[in-house]
Amino acid sequence: MEKLIVFAFVGLLAQTIDGSLGMAYGVTASTLLVATNVAPAVASASVHLAEVGTTLASGLSHWRLGNVDWRTVGKIAGPGAIGAFLGATVLSNLSTESAKPWMAGLLLLIGIYLIARFVFGKPPVVLPGQRPTVKLLAPLGLFGGFVDATGGGGWGPVTTPTLIASGTLDPRKVIGSMSASEFVVTVSASVGFLIGLGNEALDWRVIGGLLVGGVIAAPFAAYLVKHLSLPILGALVGSVIIITNSRTLLQASDAESLPVYVGLFALAAVFIAIAIAKVRAGSADKASAENPKEATTGS
């Protein structure tokens, strides 16, 4: 029962972050599961099996709201499924000691990307009349699916920002289409893990806990979207992922030391400070735009 509660908390926290940022459920859940000594392959398999239900619900919701471009889904879902199956097969056949640094490295890169996007990133520019081509979608799907399975998450952080930055599809359609595609990717990864690990290797308390926590967190995540700034949330989440997975890599290479950890926490503090400054600057610019006369008088 105690383990179920722990894993439910992991699912709750991961879903809260995912619902607020629009990504990072798998990255957060896998990072926390590995930190609680769950084997990397079991962690990724558990996350993907739990996500089968959440991605289906998410994809249907976006479809009903008209957020899905099915031509884009058709071009990226297939390669994504192939990449996910291959990634699950690779991770299932790695030893626990070999898999931990590999997964930690991938998650660390995704954590850095979250910082880059939400703390330092700029709003995307959408080019009217453009559509993403199969030349972009096929390799992106293959790579995103492979990273998603081997890293325990990563479909959203890899595909969504890349397509938004390309300017070939409205951001609303990008998010909806990638959410719909993720269901296919998740099912494919789950099949790969079930074949590679077998049903007996999975702890259904982990999967059940993630599901329960995710369902409970959904309404709270919607509240956070409205009340918490994305740069600050991105800085907090990215920092936690960077510190946690850096610790795993340091342990694997016997390079742990107090100065390194002090440096990591100092770096996290800098990211958070920059995010706070960015939010304050945005609020000041908005206030100036709404009250140009007062801004002129004040200067």
Side-chain angles (χ1 to χ4, degrees):
M1 184 63 183
E2 183 180 342
K3 281 192 173 182
L4 182 62
I5 293 173
V6 171
F7 298 135
F9 177 75
V10 170
L12 186 148
L13 183 59
Q15 182 58 45
T16 299
I17 293 167
D18 186 83
S20 304
L21 295 180
M23 63 178 68
Y25 176 91
V27 175
T28 306
S30 295
T31 293
L32 296 175
L33 288 176
V34 172
T36 60
N37 294 320
V38 175
V42 175
S44 185
S46 301
V47 167
H48 283 89
L49 284 165
E51 278 189 307
V52 169
T54 58
T55 55
L56 177 60
S58 177
L60 289 174
S61 297
H62 280 294
W63 168 61
R64 288 174 179 172
L65 292 172
N67 294 340
V68 178
D69 181 67
W70 290 109
R71 285 176 60 184
T72 299
V73 172
K75 293 174 183 177
I76 200 170
I82 294 171
F85 185 85
L86 291 175
T89 303
V90 169
L91 190 60
S92 297
N93 287 284
L94 286 178
S95 68
T96 299
E97 292 303 314
S98 300
K100 264 195 172 185
W102 167 262
M103 179 180 276
L106 281 178
L107 292 172
L108 177 63
L109 290 175
I110 293 173
I112 293 171
Y113 179 77
L114 291 175
I115 294 287
R117 181 187 178 193
F118 290 99
V119 178
F120 299 101
K122 295 180 180 180
V125 177
V126 181
L127 304 174
Q130 298 285 331
R131 301 283 292 272
T133 65
V134 71
K135 289 183 179 180
L136 170 64
L137 294 173
L140 179 62
L142 190 67
F143 178 69
F146 187 84
V147 169
D148 188 74
T150 54
W155 177 256
V158 169
T159 61
T160 300
T162 302
L163 286 180
I164 289 177
S166 73
T168 56
L169 197 64
D170 184 90
R172 177 178 64 90
K173 292 276 190 179
V174 171
I175 293 171
S177 300
M178 293 309 97
S179 295
S181 304
E182 190 173 11
F183 171 71
V184 180
V185 173
T186 300
V187 170
S188 180
S190 298
V191 171
F193 281 120
L194 287 172
I195 293 173
L197 295 175
N199 185 49
E200 295 79 8
L202 299 176
D203 189 339
W204 292 95
R205 291 173 298 178
V206 179
I207 300 166
L210 292 175
L211 276 170
V212 171
V215 170
I216 294 173
F220 181 61
Y223 175 86
L224 276 184
V225 170
K226 187 176 180 180
H227 293 87
L228 189 62
S229 66
L230 293 185
I232 294 176
L233 185 62
L236 290 170
V237 175
S239 295
V240 170
I241 291 171
I242 288 171
I243 291 171
T244 305
N245 290 288
S246 293
R247 177 174 174 269
T248 300
L249 290 173
L250 289 169
Q251 288 176 334
S253 57
D254 294 322
E256 283 187 291
S257 67
L258 181 59
V260 173
Y261 284 121
V262 170
L264 287 172
F265 278 100
L267 190 62
V270 170
F271 291 147
I272 294 169
I274 293 173
I276 292 173
K278 182 178 181 179
V279 171
R280 287 179 176 174
S283 299
D285 291 342
K286 185 178 180 181
S288 299
E290 292 176 350
N291 302 290
K293 292 184 178 179
E294 291 183 13
T296 305
T297 303
S299 62

